[in-house]
Amino acid sequence: MFWRITLCICLALTQTWASAQHVLGKAYLHGDNIPNALGFTAAPPDTLSPLFIYDYMRYEWGKSVRQTKRGEQAAHDADYRMPYIASYFAPALGICISDSLTPALYKLISNVAETASCATFRVKKHYARRRPYVQFDEPTLVRADEESHRHSGSFPSGHTSIGWAVALVLTELCPDRADTLLALGYQYGESRVIAGYHYQSDVDQGRSVGAAALARMHAEVDFLTDLGEAREELSKVRQMPEPVDTEKVSRALKRKPKRK
């Protein structure tokens, strides 16, 4: 298992992290085919409502754990680009996910993530909810992202929609890893509360949007084709024996035998 996790980390670090043009993939849904989340999500809580008090309490909780291991993970989870998404879920599957080693699975996840992200746009624009750190004029856990996110809507959470949709589709492919995959998808969303970029209600509704988008994807031929190819590829990869550590073998062959 160790070699798999190590390989995933190495591949994630060597991919084109700086490429902003293909952060995710190509959406399976467009225009009116995207579920209109305005019709099935509740509006964000009014600042005078009890629900907003809960949002505020969760925001304070998030700040309280920023200097812990959980906070460290939340900082990493601010990355929603595909190399990170792939490396985040890969250990739960016991394989490495990359566009070179598992191209079908990588493509599926990329496109699911992009579709789930797009499904939040209409609601974000409609409510234009201010993010917690903007509303309270406080620093976040990820200072580098503050300016780029300052004027984008907080409700619902796009990160959460992406993470939850990916967790669901991977659970469909690997039901034997369901508990771990769903836990990862859940925590990916909660990280946005800890980081200070979203209220809890943003995250909760993000999961609803991600799930709705994935359900609608199942009516698309392109998605079903990619899903089938990813399932076949994943079945083969998970049956492969662990590869030989060629570097270790090479070192052993070069080592001089001890004289008796």
Side-chain angles (χ1 to χ4, degrees):
M1 176 64 73
F2 177 77
W3 74 266
R4 296 181 187 275
I5 297 175
T6 303
L7 181 58
C8 287
I9 295 173
C10 292
L11 285 169
L13 291 175
T14 55
Q15 298 219 23
T16 54
W17 290 81
S19 174
Q21 296 180 345
H22 268 292
V23 174
L24 297 173
K26 297 181 180 179
Y28 288 114
L29 304 175
H30 305 277
D32 292 339
N33 286 336
I34 300 175
N36 184 2
L38 289 171
F40 61 83
T41 57
D46 183 271
T47 53
L48 298 178
S49 72
L51 290 177
F52 183 77
I53 295 175
Y54 178 66
D55 267 351
Y56 178 74
M57 291 174 62
R58 291 291 290 170
Y59 172 64
E60 290 295 323
W61 163 79
K63 291 193 295 182
S64 74
V65 300
R66 288 181 184 176
Q67 302 307 313
T68 67
K69 285 289 186 182
R70 182 65 185 89
E72 182 179 341
Q73 181 62 50
H76 290 304
D77 291 348
D79 195 339
Y80 65 93
R81 292 170 293 184
M82 261 312 295
Y84 181 77
I85 294 291
S87 65
Y88 180 78
F89 285 101
L93 302 179
I95 65 169
C96 184
I97 303 173
S98 77
D99 56 355
S100 57
L101 295 178
T102 54
L105 182 60
Y106 194 87
K107 176 186 177 183
L108 175 71
I109 294 174
S110 301
N111 294 350
V112 166
E114 177 65 23
T115 312
S117 176
C118 292
T120 66
F121 293 167
R122 186 181 301 183
V123 188
K124 281 178 174 287
K125 182 178 180 180
H126 179 81
Y127 290 113
R129 188 186 197 186
R130 288 190 296 174
R131 295 176 183 272
Y133 75 93
V134 177
Q135 185 155 1
F136 296 109
D137 193 22
E138 293 180 340
T140 67
L141 180 62
V142 187
R143 301 301 302 274
D145 290 347
E146 289 178 5
E147 284 307 310
S148 63
H149 286 66
R150 186 173 299 276
H151 301 293
S152 60
S154 183
F155 181 92
S157 166
H159 273 73
T160 303
S161 182
I162 290 170
W164 194 238
V166 171
L168 290 176
V169 76
L170 289 176
T171 296
E172 186 172 348
L173 292 172
C174 300
D176 57 311
R177 304 294 176 91
D179 291 347
T180 303
L181 289 166
L182 294 173
L184 286 171
Y186 182 88
Q187 293 300 328
Y188 189 73
E190 295 301 292
S191 287
R192 299 307 282 166
V193 175
I194 297 171
Y197 280 83
H198 286 286
Y199 290 108
Q200 185 65 52
S201 56
D202 302 337
V203 170
D204 294 344
Q205 292 300 334
R207 294 193 188 101
S208 297
V209 174
L214 183 63
R216 176 60 181 79
M217 287 181 231
H218 281 76
E220 297 297 312
V221 174
D222 288 347
F223 169 79
L224 294 175
T225 299
D226 289 349
L227 183 69
E229 292 178 355
R231 178 178 284 112
E232 183 177 356
E233 177 184 80
L234 190 55
S235 176
K236 293 178 181 178
V237 172
R238 294 184 71 187
Q239 293 176 16
M240 290 175 59
E242 293 192 355
V244 176
D245 188 335
T246 55
E247 185 177 346
K248 183 177 180 180
V249 172
S250 178
R251 289 197 304 268
L253 291 174
K254 292 178 181 178
R255 192 179 303 127
K256 293 181 180 180
K258 294 181 180 181
R259 293 185 178 181
K260 294 183 179 179

